[in-house]
Amino acid sequence: MLVVGNWKMNTSQAEAVALAAGVARGVAEADTDVGVGVCPPFVWLEAVRERTEGSPVQVGAQNVSSEESGAYTGEVSAAMLSDLGCTYAIVGHSERRALYGETDAVVATKTSRALSHGLTPIVCVGETLDERRADQVEAVVTGQLSGSLAEADDASRIVVAYEPVWAIGTGETATPEQARDTHAIIRRWLTDRFGASGAAVEILYGGSVKPGNADDLFRQPDVDGGLVGGASLDAEGFVEIVRAAARARE
Ligand code: PGA
């Protein structure tokens, strides 16, 4: 099980450090074998990494450049993130796809960059409400997987996050059954494509995960944890979600 917080474009430096400290303390007390990561804004990565050093909490970035290095103003490379001690990089988040025009091809290159610098990419996929209503969940999600993982030949260092776009930041959550069904589709696709390494990929659910719904979601087969946005900005609530992940596999 793995629970990762996506802080998005939130927190001052002081808030980021305090949040990291609270999460590190709470996760250490929870004493579980659930993997835990936090993804602060780039500018607080170093401060958060220092604050979580020696704790079970890993640090990740919310994005990574598709380019290796050079004249790409404003970009941050996988090598830099790795140099900083990051473990994870979120790639292809729906906000990046929708607001910054990231295509599956770009996400595929970002995934390769992350992998080649020792980062674990958290590759996000998910359908919109219109696509769900049109019965296109399987086509959309498998299409995104096949495009976004086109350059990978092994899945052993890849994490996939299923994040239905209509559930992100809306307070609306997929029902445990909807999560289970889509995770099963993703598992089948990963296993067909990558064999044993695909069968072992951690598939996170994301979209309004909170302490109150985490238990039901995490108890579903193939839901191997969560990618948590809004609720990751509160240390206590986030740690409660980590505890739910631990309970789910007891
Ligand atoms: P949310 O965001 O938990 O606020 O819905 C999830 C995400 O975007 O990763």
Side-chain angles (χ1 to χ4, degrees), residues 173-235:
T173 317
T175 63
E177 295 70 31
Q178 286 170 327
R180 177 199 62 204
D181 292 350
T182 314
H183 281 237
I185 290 168
I186 294 171
R187 174 70 67 212
R188 209 176 314 123
W189 187 91
L190 288 168
T191 307
D192 284 351
R193 169 80 161 73
F194 297 108
S197 73
V201 166
E202 285 180 304
I203 308 174
L204 311 184
Y205 168 79
S208 300
V209 176
K210 334 177 236 275
N213 60 25
D215 281 285
D216 284 345
L217 289 163
F218 295 166
R219 287 215 167 91
Q220 301 305 313
D222 289 317
V223 177
D224 304 312
L227 181 56
V228 186
S232 72
L233 295 171
D234 170 61

Side-chain angles (χ1 to χ4, degrees), residues 26-48:
V27 170
E29 278 168 17
D31 189 24
T32 80
D33 55 7
V34 173
V36 181
V38 291
C39 301
F42 283 132
V43 286
W44 312 144
L45 277 170
E46 172 71 356
V48 167

Side-chain angles (χ1 to χ4, degrees), residues 6 8 93 95 163 167-170 206-209 227-231:
N6 173 9
K8 307 193 180 182
H93 188 279
E95 286 151 18
E163 298 206 307
I168 295 177
T170 58
S208 300
V209 176
L227 181 56
V228 186

